[in-house]
Coordinates of all heavy atoms in Angstrom, one line a residue:
S1 N 123.3 91.6 93.7 CA 122.5 91.3 92.5 C 121.5 92.3 92.1 O 121.1 93.1 93.0 CB 122.0 89.9 92.5 OG 120.9 89.9 93.2
D2 N 121.0 92.3 90.9 CA 120.0 93.2 90.5 C 118.7 93.0 91.2 O 117.9 94.0 91.5 CB 119.7 93.1 89.0 CG 120.8 93.7 88.1 OD1 121.5 94.6 88.7 OD2 121.0 93.2 87.0
N3 N 118.4 91.8 91.6 CA 117.2 91.5 92.3 C 117.2 92.2 93.7 O 116.1 92.6 94.2 CB 117.0 90.0 92.6 CG 116.6 89.3 91.2 OD1 116.2 90.0 90.3 ND2 116.9 88.0 91.2
D4 N 118.3 92.3 94.3 CA 118.4 93.0 95.7 C 118.0 94.5 95.5 O 117.3 95.0 96.4 CB 119.8 92.8 96.2 CG 120.1 91.4 96.7 OD1 119.1 90.7 96.9 OD2 121.3 91.1 96.8
D5 N 118.5 95.1 94.4 CA 118.1 96.5 94.2 C 116.7 96.7 94.0 O 116.1 97.6 94.4 CB 118.9 97.0 93.0 CG 120.4 97.2 93.2 OD1 120.8 97.3 94.4 OD2 121.2 97.2 92.3
D6 N 116.1 95.7 93.3 CA 114.6 95.8 93.0 C 113.8 95.7 94.3 O 112.8 96.4 94.5 CB 114.1 94.7 92.0 CG 114.6 95.0 90.7 OD1 115.0 96.1 90.3 OD2 114.7 94.0 89.9
D7 N 114.3 94.9 95.2 CA 113.6 94.7 96.5 C 113.7 96.0 97.4 O 112.7 96.4 98.0 CB 114.2 93.5 97.3 CG 113.9 92.2 96.7 OD1 112.9 92.1 95.9 OD2 114.6 91.2 97.0
E8 N 114.8 96.6 97.3 CA 115.0 97.8 98.0 C 114.0 99.0 97.5 O 113.4 99.7 98.3 CB 116.4 98.4 98.0 CG 117.4 97.6 98.8 CD 118.8 98.0 98.7 OE1 119.0 99.3 98.5 OE2 119.7 97.2 98.9
D9 N 113.9 99.0 96.2 CA 113.0 100.0 95.6 C 111.5 99.8 96.1 O 110.7 100.7 96.3 CB 113.1 99.9 94.1 CG 114.4 100.6 93.5 OD1 115.0 101.2 94.3 OD2 114.7 100.2 92.4
E10 N 111.1 98.5 96.1 CA 109.8 98.2 96.5 C 109.5 98.5 98.0 O 108.5 98.9 98.5 CB 109.4 96.7 96.3 CG 109.3 96.4 94.8 CD 109.1 94.9 94.6 OE1 108.8 94.2 95.5 OE2 109.3 94.5 93.4
D11 N 110.6 98.4 98.9 CA 110.5 98.7 100.3 C 110.4 100.1 100.6 O 109.9 100.6 101.5 CB 111.6 98.0 101.1 CG 111.5 96.5 101.1 OD1 110.4 96.0 100.8 OD2 112.6 95.8 101.4
H12 N 111.1 100.9 99.7 CA 111.2 102.4 99.9 C 110.9 103.1 98.6 O 111.7 103.6 97.9 CB 112.7 102.7 100.3 CG 113.1 102.1 101.5 ND1 112.7 102.3 102.8 CD2 114.0 101.0 101.7 CE1 113.2 101.5 103.6 NE2 114.1 100.7 103.0
P13 N 109.5 103.1 98.3 CA 109.2 103.9 97.1 C 109.5 105.3 97.1 O 109.5 106.0 98.2 CB 107.7 103.6 97.0 CG 107.3 103.4 98.4 CD 108.4 102.7 99.1
T14 N 109.9 105.8 96.0 CA 110.2 107.2 95.9 C 109.0 108.0 95.7 O 108.2 107.7 94.8 CB 111.2 107.5 94.7 OG1 112.3 106.6 94.8 CG2 111.6 108.9 94.5
M15 N 108.8 109.1 96.5 CA 107.6 109.9 96.4 C 107.9 111.0 95.4 O 109.0 111.6 95.3 CB 107.3 110.6 97.8 CG 106.8 109.6 98.8 SD 106.3 110.4 100.3 CE 105.0 111.4 99.7
K16 N 106.9 111.3 94.5 CA 107.1 112.3 93.5 C 106.9 113.7 94.2 O 106.0 113.8 95.0 CB 106.1 112.2 92.4 CG 106.4 110.9 91.5 CD 105.4 110.9 90.4 CE 105.7 109.7 89.5 NZ 104.8 109.6 88.4
S17 N 107.7 114.6 93.8 CA 107.6 116.0 94.3 C 107.3 116.9 93.2 O 108.0 116.8 92.1 CB 108.9 116.4 95.0 OG 108.8 117.7 95.5
Y18 N 106.4 117.8 93.3 CA 106.0 118.7 92.3 C 106.3 120.1 92.7 O 106.1 120.4 93.9 CB 104.5 118.5 91.9 CG 104.2 117.1 91.4 CD1 103.6 116.2 92.2 CD2 104.5 116.8 90.0 CE1 103.4 115.0 91.7 CE2 104.2 115.5 89.6 CZ 103.6 114.6 90.4 OH 103.4 113.4 90.0
H19 N 106.7 120.9 91.8 CA 107.1 122.3 92.1 C 106.6 123.2 91.0 O 106.9 123.1 89.9 CB 108.6 122.4 92.3 CG 109.1 123.7 92.7 ND1 108.8 124.2 94.0 CD2 109.9 124.6 92.1 CE1 109.4 125.4 94.1 NE2 110.1 125.6 93.0
F20 N 105.7 124.1 91.3 CA 105.1 125.0 90.4 C 105.3 126.5 90.9 O 104.3 127.1 91.4 CB 103.6 124.8 90.2 CG 103.3 123.3 89.8 CD1 102.8 122.4 90.7 CD2 103.4 123.0 88.5 CE1 102.5 121.2 90.3 CE2 103.2 121.7 88.1 CZ 102.7 120.8 89.0
P21 N 106.5 127.0 90.8 CA 106.7 128.3 91.3 C 105.9 129.4 90.7 O 105.5 130.4 91.4 CB 108.2 128.5 91.1 CG 108.6 127.5 90.0 CD 107.7 126.4 90.2
A22 N 105.7 129.4 89.4 CA 104.9 130.5 88.8 C 103.5 130.4 89.2 O 102.9 131.5 89.5 CB 105.0 130.4 87.2
L23 N 102.9 129.3 89.3 CA 101.5 129.1 89.8 C 101.4 129.5 91.2 O 100.4 130.3 91.6 CB 101.0 127.8 89.5 CG 99.6 127.5 90.0 CD1 98.5 128.4 89.3 CD2 99.2 126.0 89.8
T24 N 102.3 129.1 92.0 CA 102.3 129.4 93.5 C 102.4 130.9 93.6 O 101.7 131.5 94.5 CB 103.4 128.7 94.2 OG1 103.2 127.3 94.0 CG2 103.4 129.1 95.7
S25 N 103.2 131.6 92.9 CA 103.4 133.0 92.9 C 102.1 133.7 92.5 O 101.6 134.7 93.2 CB 104.5 133.5 92.0 OG 104.7 134.9 92.1
Q26 N 101.4 133.3 91.5 CA 100.2 133.9 91.0 C 99.1 133.7 92.1 O 98.3 134.6 92.4 CB 99.7 133.3 89.7 CG 100.5 133.7 88.5 CD 100.1 133.0 87.3 OE1 99.3 132.0 87.3 NE2 100.6 133.5 86.1
I27 N 99.0 132.5 92.7 CA 98.0 132.3 93.8 C 98.3 133.2 94.9 O 97.4 133.8 95.5 CB 98.0 130.8 94.2 CG1 97.5 129.9 93.0 CG2 97.2 130.6 95.4 CD1 97.6 128.4 93.3
Q28 N 99.6 133.3 95.3 CA 99.9 134.2 96.5 C 99.6 135.6 96.2 O 99.1 136.3 97.1 CB 101.4 134.0 96.8 CG 101.9 134.8 98.1 CD 101.1 134.3 99.3 OE1 101.2 133.1 99.7 NE2 100.3 135.1 100.0
N29 N 99.9 136.0 95.0 CA 99.5 137.5 94.6 C 98.1 137.7 94.7 O 97.6 138.7 95.2 CB 100.0 137.8 93.2 CG 101.6 137.9 93.2 OD1 102.2 138.1 94.2 ND2 102.1 137.8 92.0
A30 N 97.2 136.7 94.3 CA 95.8 136.9 94.3 C 95.3 136.9 95.7 O 94.4 137.7 96.1 CB 95.1 135.7 93.5
I31 N 95.9 136.0 96.6 CA 95.5 136.0 98.0 C 95.8 137.4 98.6 O 95.0 137.9 99.4 CB 96.2 134.8 98.7 CG1 95.6 133.5 98.3 CG2 96.0 135.0 100.3 CD1 96.3 132.3 98.8
N32 N 97.0 137.9 98.3 CA 97.4 139.1 98.9 C 96.5 140.3 98.5 O 96.0 141.1 99.3 CB 98.9 139.5 98.5 CG 99.9 138.6 99.1 OD1 99.6 137.8 100.1 ND2 101.1 138.6 98.6
E33 N 96.2 140.3 97.2 CA 95.4 141.4 96.6 C 93.9 141.3 97.1 O 93.3 142.2 97.6 CB 95.4 141.4 95.1 CG 94.6 142.5 94.5 CD 94.8 142.5 93.0 OE1 95.8 142.1 92.4 OE2 93.7 142.9 92.4
L34 N 93.3 140.1 97.0 CA 91.9 139.9 97.3 C 91.7 139.8 98.8 O 90.7 140.3 99.3 CB 91.4 138.6 96.6 CG 91.4 138.6 95.1 CD1 91.1 137.3 94.6 CD2 90.5 139.7 94.6
G35 N 92.6 139.3 99.5 CA 92.5 139.2 100.9 C 92.6 140.6 101.6 O 91.8 140.9 102.5
R36 N 93.4 141.5 101.0 CA 93.4 142.9 101.5 C 92.2 143.6 101.2 O 91.7 144.3 102.0 CB 94.7 143.5 100.8 CG 95.0 144.9 101.3 CD 96.3 145.4 100.8 NE 96.5 145.3 99.4 CZ 97.4 144.4 98.8 NH1 98.2 143.7 99.6 NH2 97.5 144.3 97.5
T37 N 91.6 143.3 100.0 CA 90.3 144.0 99.6 C 89.2 143.6 100.6 O 88.5 144.4 101.0 CB 90.0 143.6 98.2 OG1 91.1 144.0 97.4 CG2 88.7 144.2 97.8
T38 N 89.1 142.3 100.9 CA 88.0 141.9 101.8 C 88.2 142.4 103.2 O 87.3 142.7 103.9 CB 87.9 140.3 101.8 OG1 89.1 139.7 102.1 CG2 87.4 139.8 100.5
A39 N 89.5 142.5 103.6 CA 89.8 143.0 105.0 C 89.3 144.4 105.1 O 88.8 144.8 106.1 CB 91.3 142.8 105.3
S40 N 89.6 145.2 104.1 CA 89.2 146.6 104.1 C 87.7 146.8 104.0 O 87.1 147.8 104.3 CB 89.9 147.5 103.1 OG 89.5 147.0 101.7
G41 N 87.0 145.8 103.5 CA 85.5 145.8 103.3 C 84.8 145.5 104.6 O 83.6 145.4 104.6
G42 N 85.4 145.3 105.7 CA 84.8 145.1 106.9 C 84.6 143.6 107.3 O 84.2 143.3 108.5
S43 N 85.0 142.6 106.5 CA 84.8 141.2 106.9 C 86.1 140.8 107.6 O 87.1 141.6 107.8 CB 84.6 140.4 105.6 OG 85.7 140.4 104.8
A44 N 86.1 139.5 108.0 CA 87.3 139.0 108.7 C 88.6 139.2 107.8 O 89.7 139.4 108.3 CB 87.1 137.5 109.0
G45 N 88.4 139.0 106.5 CA 89.5 139.2 105.5 C 90.7 138.3 105.7 O 90.6 137.3 106.5
G46 N 91.8 138.6 105.0 CA 92.9 137.8 105.1 C 92.9 136.4 104.4 O 93.8 135.6 104.6
G47 N 91.9 136.2 103.7 CA 91.8 134.9 103.0 C 90.9 135.0 101.7 O 90.3 136.1 101.5
V48 N 90.9 134.0 101.0 CA 90.1 134.0 99.8 C 89.3 132.6 99.7 O 89.7 131.7 100.4 CB 91.0 134.1 98.5 CG1 91.6 135.5 98.5 CG2 92.0 133.0 98.4
L49 N 88.3 132.6 98.8 CA 87.6 131.4 98.6 C 87.8 131.0 97.1 O 87.5 131.7 96.2 CB 86.1 131.7 98.8 CG 85.1 130.6 98.3 CD1 85.2 129.4 99.2 CD2 83.7 131.1 98.3
P50 N 88.5 129.8 96.9 CA 88.7 129.5 95.6 C 87.4 129.0 94.8 O 86.6 128.3 95.4 CB 89.7 128.3 95.7 CG 89.4 127.7 97.1 CD 89.0 128.9 97.9
K51 N 87.3 129.6 93.7 CA 86.1 129.3 92.9 C 86.6 128.7 91.6 O 87.3 129.3 90.9 CB 85.2 130.5 92.6 CG 84.0 130.3 91.7 CD 83.0 129.3 92.3 CE 81.9 129.2 91.3 NZ 81.3 127.9 91.4
L52 N 86.1 127.5 91.3 CA 86.6 126.8 90.1 C 85.5 126.8 89.1 O 84.3 127.1 89.4 CB 86.9 125.4 90.4 CG 87.9 125.2 91.6 CD1 88.0 123.7 91.9 CD2 89.2 125.8 91.3
N53 N 85.8 126.6 87.8 CA 84.8 126.6 86.8 C 83.7 125.5 86.9 O 82.6 125.6 86.3 CB 85.4 126.7 85.4 CG 86.2 125.4 85.1 OD1 86.3 124.5 85.9 ND2 86.7 125.3 83.9
W54 N 84.0 124.5 87.7 CA 83.0 123.4 87.8 C 82.3 123.4 89.1 O 81.2 123.0 89.2 CB 83.7 122.0 87.6 CG 85.0 121.9 88.3 CD1 86.2 122.3 87.9 CD2 85.2 121.3 89.6 NE1 87.2 122.0 88.8 CE2 86.5 121.4 89.9 CE3 84.3 120.8 90.6 CZ2 87.1 121.0 91.1 CZ3 84.9 120.4 91.8 CH2 86.2 120.4 92.0
S55 N 82.9 123.9 90.2 CA 82.2 124.0 91.5 C 83.3 124.4 92.5 O 84.4 124.4 92.2 CB 81.7 122.6 91.9 OG 82.7 121.7 92.3
S56 N 82.8 124.8 93.7 CA 83.7 125.0 94.8 C 84.0 123.7 95.5 O 83.1 122.9 95.5 CB 83.2 126.1 95.7 OG 82.0 125.6 96.3
P57 N 85.1 123.4 96.0 CA 85.5 122.2 96.6 C 84.9 121.9 98.0 O 85.6 121.7 98.9 CB 87.0 122.2 96.5 CG 87.3 123.6 96.7 CD 86.3 124.4 96.0
R58 N 83.6 122.1 98.1 CA 82.9 122.0 99.5 C 83.2 120.6 100.1 O 83.3 120.5 101.3 CB 81.4 122.2 99.4 CG 81.1 123.7 99.1 CD 79.6 123.8 99.1 NE 79.0 122.9 98.2 CZ 78.0 123.2 97.5 NH1 77.3 124.3 97.7 NH2 77.5 122.3 96.6
D59 N 83.3 119.6 99.3 CA 83.5 118.3 99.8 C 84.9 118.1 100.5 O 85.1 117.1 101.2 CB 83.3 117.2 98.8 CG 84.2 117.3 97.6 OD1 84.6 118.5 97.2 OD2 84.5 116.3 96.9
A60 N 85.8 119.0 100.3 CA 87.2 118.9 100.8 C 87.4 119.8 102.0 O 88.5 119.9 102.5 CB 88.1 119.3 99.7
T61 N 86.3 120.5 102.5 CA 86.5 121.4 103.6 C 87.1 120.7 104.9 O 87.8 121.3 105.7 CB 85.3 122.1 104.0 OG1 84.3 121.2 104.3 CG2 84.8 123.0 102.8
W62 N 86.8 119.5 105.0 CA 87.3 118.8 106.3 C 88.8 118.7 106.3 O 89.4 118.7 107.4 CB 86.8 117.3 106.3 CG 87.2 116.5 105.2 CD1 86.7 116.4 103.9 CD2 88.3 115.6 105.2 NE1 87.4 115.4 103.2 CE2 88.4 115.0 103.9 CE3 89.3 115.3 106.2 CZ2 89.4 114.0 103.6 CZ3 90.2 114.3 105.9 CH2 90.3 113.7 104.6
M63 N 89.5 118.9 105.1 CA 90.9 118.9 105.1 C 91.5 120.2 105.5 O 92.7 120.3 105.8 CB 91.5 118.5 103.7 CG 91.3 117.1 103.3 SD 92.3 116.0 104.3 CE 93.9 116.4 103.8
N64 N 90.7 121.3 105.4 CA 91.1 122.6 105.7 C 90.4 123.2 106.9 O 89.9 124.3 106.9 CB 90.9 123.5 104.5 CG 91.7 124.8 104.5 OD1 92.8 124.9 105.0 ND2 91.1 125.9 103.9
C65 N 90.4 122.4 108.0 CA 89.7 122.8 109.2 C 88.3 123.2 109.1 O 87.8 124.1 109.8 CB 90.5 124.0 109.9 SG 92.2 123.5 110.3
G66 N 87.5 122.6 108.2 CA 86.1 122.8 108.0 C 85.8 124.1 107.3 O 84.6 124.6 107.4
T67 N 86.7 124.7 106.5 CA 86.4 125.9 105.9 C 87.0 125.9 104.5 O 87.9 125.2 104.2 CB 87.0 127.2 106.6 OG1 86.6 128.3 106.0 CG2 88.5 127.1 106.8
L68 N 86.4 126.8 103.6 CA 86.9 126.9 102.3 C 87.9 128.1 102.2 O 88.5 128.4 101.2 CB 85.8 127.2 101.3 CG 84.9 126.0 101.0 CD1 83.8 126.4 100.1 CD2 85.7 124.9 100.3
K69 N 88.0 128.9 103.3 CA 88.9 130.1 103.4 C 90.4 129.6 103.2 O 90.8 128.8 103.9 CB 88.7 130.8 104.7 CG 89.5 132.0 104.8 CD 89.3 132.7 106.1 CE 90.1 134.0 106.3 NZ 89.9 134.6 107.6
C70 N 91.0 130.2 102.3 CA 92.4 129.9 102.0 C 93.2 131.1 102.2 O 93.0 132.2 101.7 CB 92.6 129.5 100.5 SG 91.7 127.9 100.2
Q71 N 94.3 131.0 103.0 CA 95.2 132.1 103.4 C 96.6 131.9 102.7 O 97.4 132.8 102.8 CB 95.3 132.3 104.8 CG 94.0 132.6 105.5 CD 94.0 132.8 107.0 OE1 94.5 131.9 107.6 NE2 93.5 133.9 107.4
T72 N 96.8 130.7 102.2 CA 98.2 130.4 101.5 C 97.9 129.6 100.3 O 96.9 129.0 100.1 CB 99.1 129.6 102.5 OG1 98.5 128.3 102.6 CG2 99.3 130.3 103.8
P73 N 98.9 129.6 99.4 CA 98.8 128.8 98.2 C 98.6 127.3 98.6 O 97.9 126.5 98.0 CB 100.1 129.0 97.5 CG 100.5 130.4 97.8 CD 100.1 130.5 99.3
G74 N 99.3 126.9 99.7 CA 99.1 125.5 100.2 C 97.7 125.2 100.5 O 97.3 124.0 100.3
D75 N 97.0 126.1 101.1 CA 95.5 125.9 101.4 C 94.8 125.6 100.1 O 93.9 124.7 100.1 CB 94.9 127.1 102.1 CG 95.4 127.3 103.5 OD1 96.1 126.4 104.1 OD2 95.2 128.4 104.0
V76 N 95.1 126.4 99.1 CA 94.4 126.2 97.8 C 94.7 124.8 97.2 O 93.8 124.1 96.8 CB 94.8 127.3 96.8 CG1 94.2 127.1 95.4 CG2 94.3 128.7 97.3
Y77 N 96.0 124.5 97.2 CA 96.4 123.2 96.7 C 95.8 122.0 97.5 O 95.4 121.0 96.9 CB 98.0 123.0 96.7 CG 98.7 123.9 95.7 CD1 99.9 124.5 96.1 CD2 98.3 124.1 94.4 CE1 100.6 125.3 95.3 CE2 99.0 124.9 93.6 CZ 100.2 125.5 94.0 OH 100.8 126.3 93.1
L78 N 95.7 122.2 98.8 CA 95.1 121.2 99.6 C 93.6 120.9 99.2 O 93.2 119.8 99.1 CB 95.2 121.6 101.1 CG 94.7 120.6 102.1 CD1 95.4 119.2 102.1 CD2 94.7 121.2 103.5
L79 N 92.9 122.0 99.0 CA 91.5 121.8 98.7 C 91.4 121.2 97.3 O 90.5 120.3 97.1 CB 90.8 123.2 98.7 CG 90.5 123.8 100.1 CD1 89.8 125.1 100.0 CD2 89.7 122.9 100.9
L80 N 92.2 121.6 96.4 CA 92.1 121.1 95.0 C 92.5 119.6 95.1 O 91.8 118.7 94.4 CB 93.1 121.8 94.1 CG 92.6 123.2 93.7 CD1 93.7 124.0 93.0 CD2 91.3 123.3 93.0
K81 N 93.5 119.3 95.8 CA 93.9 117.9 95.8 C 92.9 117.0 96.5 O 92.7 115.8 96.2 CB 95.3 117.8 96.6 CG 95.9 116.4 96.6 CD 97.2 116.4 97.3 CE 97.8 115.0 97.4 NZ 99.1 115.0 98.0
S82 N 92.2 117.5 97.5 CA 91.3 116.7 98.4 C 90.0 116.6 97.8 O 89.1 115.8 98.2 CB 91.2 117.3 99.7 OG 92.5 117.4 100.4
S83 N 89.6 117.4 96.8 CA 88.3 117.4 96.3 C 88.1 116.3 95.3 O 89.0 115.9 94.6 CB 88.0 118.8 95.6 OG 86.7 118.8 95.1

């Protein structure tokens, strides 16, 4: 019956999945370019600090091993999502 199908949907909710290939590519290009620049500048390099127009996501550092340093687009998304 239709009610059985509704019960199954409630027991196993579908998770939404988002995919932003153009944005991910832009973030990765920025990390590659800026990370390389800071590495040649004598610092630890290999990462970037995301700066937003409203603030940096300091309150979300606990999700990224206690740092704002991002080495992958996933790190950037994690900080944005957690802030």
Side-chain angles (χ1 to χ4, degrees):
S1 79
D2 287 335
N3 289 340
D4 291 338
D5 290 338
D6 291 341
D7 291 341
E8 287 180 27
D9 290 341
E10 291 176 14
D11 292 341
H12 304 290
T14 303
M15 291 186 63
K16 291 184 179 182
S17 177
Y18 300 98
H19 186 65
F20 303 103
L23 179 59
T24 299
S25 178
Q26 289 177 347
I27 292 171
Q28 186 62 61
N29 290 340
I31 290 171
N32 291 344
E33 182 178 329
L34 297 172
R36 185 171 45 250
T37 301
T38 57
S40 65
S43 68
V48 297
L49 171 70
K51 177 64 178 145
L52 308 173
N53 62 356
W54 46 272
S55 71
S56 62
R58 289 185 303 212
D59 57 330
T61 59
W62 65 275
M63 288 293 294
N64 197 32
C65 300
T67 183
L68 290 174
K69 182 178 178 181
C70 295
Q71 296 178 311
T72 68
D75 292 344
V76 174
Y77 291 139
L78 180 66
L79 288 178
L80 291 172
K81 183 177 178 181
S82 302
S83 181

